[in-house]
Amino acid sequence: MAIVWGRHPKYALFVFVVLATTFYLLDPFSLPPPEPLPPLNIDSVKGELPKRLARADAIYDKVLADRQGLIRHFGPTPQDVMMFPPNKDPWPPYTVWDFFPAAYNCPHELVRVGALGDGGKWVCGLSRVETKKDCVIYSVGINHESSFEAQLLTSTSHCEVWGYDFSVSSFGPQITRSLSPRTHFFAYGLAGNDHIPPPNAPSTDYPMYTLQSLMKMNGHTHIDILKVDIESWEFETLTTMLKPYLESGEPLPFGQLQLEIHLWNKTFEDFLEWWEMLESAGLRPFMTEPNLVYVNYNRQASADLAEYSFLNIKGDNIFIKDKPEVHAH
């Protein structure tokens, strides 16, 4: 290189610039951060939020009654309802998802955060945490795609993200160097029970923790937004997670839940029981999307994956309670 530099300094400088630019572009931390969402700052008019929630409750109560009617029509019991009816005459005009519409009205603005394809999620009331100083986000299941987490960070001033996934070693490349100070990644899994591998455990034996244990490790008493994508383990994990709250009557420690549901090997009766458990814990679906990417890649597959976003209507989380007014003394 020294010989080339001495004989052809302009050529050597050009080569140096090309190489430096290439390394810069290949560095995932050099990616430009995602564009923040437009400033929101549209908190509900004083006294309006309880009215919106009451109306959303009434609308959802009708859906609960309609669900029972649909079960009687196509059942007449849950054991008789098929998840995805075969093509026969007469053709039953429904799929399992028709029994569980995302019919709860978000009382704030509804915004999609992250990629428009697989990876993005719908959030109710991002404005409620836009400037919240103790904003806590948990993201379970990264899989090399972090557009959701990245846009949450660029659109808020204080939110921090705790990420968990034992199948990868970091967040996806969307978490740039400028965003990384507000992120915390751990190669742990979310499970119904804690499991700490012994020192001589195989490399495939990963640490697993309950949500309560993870929150205790981090010193958290609340989570504003919880995103979970754990490839069908959501049934076992959420069942164990919610049980103590259902037994005690205490509200769940998170404000909303973004969850991908995988119906692999599930019956309608089992799914209905699990879903009604979510509802009993105070979770109400306000948005859903079938995972059509999965259907497209598996041409013969049923649409048995769907994204749901839930609002927790119990307790005093930031999405259902107005911020207390601060009075000057």
Side-chain angles (χ1 to χ4, degrees), residues 132-143:
K132 187 172 184 281
K133 292 186 177 179
D134 60 344
C135 173
V136 175
I137 314 294
Y138 275 33
S139 179
V140 183
I142 305 300
N143 194 26

Side-chain angles (χ1 to χ4, degrees), residues 150-259:
Q151 195 158 59
L152 274 177
L153 291 170
T154 59
S155 302
T156 60
S157 55
H158 300 289
C159 288
E160 296 192 27
V161 178
W162 277 259
Y164 299 96
D165 191 333
F166 57 74
S167 69
V168 296
S169 58
S170 67
F171 284 102
Q174 295 84 2
I175 299 297
T176 61
R177 193 182 302 277
S178 62
L179 297 178
S180 60
R182 287 198 280 147
T183 64
H184 316 268
F185 177 85
F186 300 91
Y188 303 158
L190 180 67
N193 297 284
D194 290 344
H195 169 69
I196 304 174
N200 59 346
S203 59
T204 54
D205 192 0
Y206 304 103
M208 308 292 288
Y209 295 99
T210 64
L211 184 66
Q212 292 89 335
S213 294
L214 293 176
M215 292 178 68
K216 186 176 181 180
M217 287 181 200
N218 300 325
H220 294 149
T221 58
H222 80 281
I223 299 170
D224 292 295
I225 296 174
L226 170 62
K227 186 210 86 173
V228 176
D229 184 357
I230 50 178
E231 304 302 316
S232 85
W233 287 101
E234 63 270 11
F235 292 95
E236 175 187 330
T237 300
L238 265 68
T239 298
T240 308
M241 179 198 304
L242 301 188
K243 184 178 179 180
Y245 295 100
L246 289 168
E247 292 176 345
S248 68
E250 293 292 317
L252 298 174
F254 49 86
Q256 59 184 280
L257 170 68
Q258 278 69 34
L259 177 70

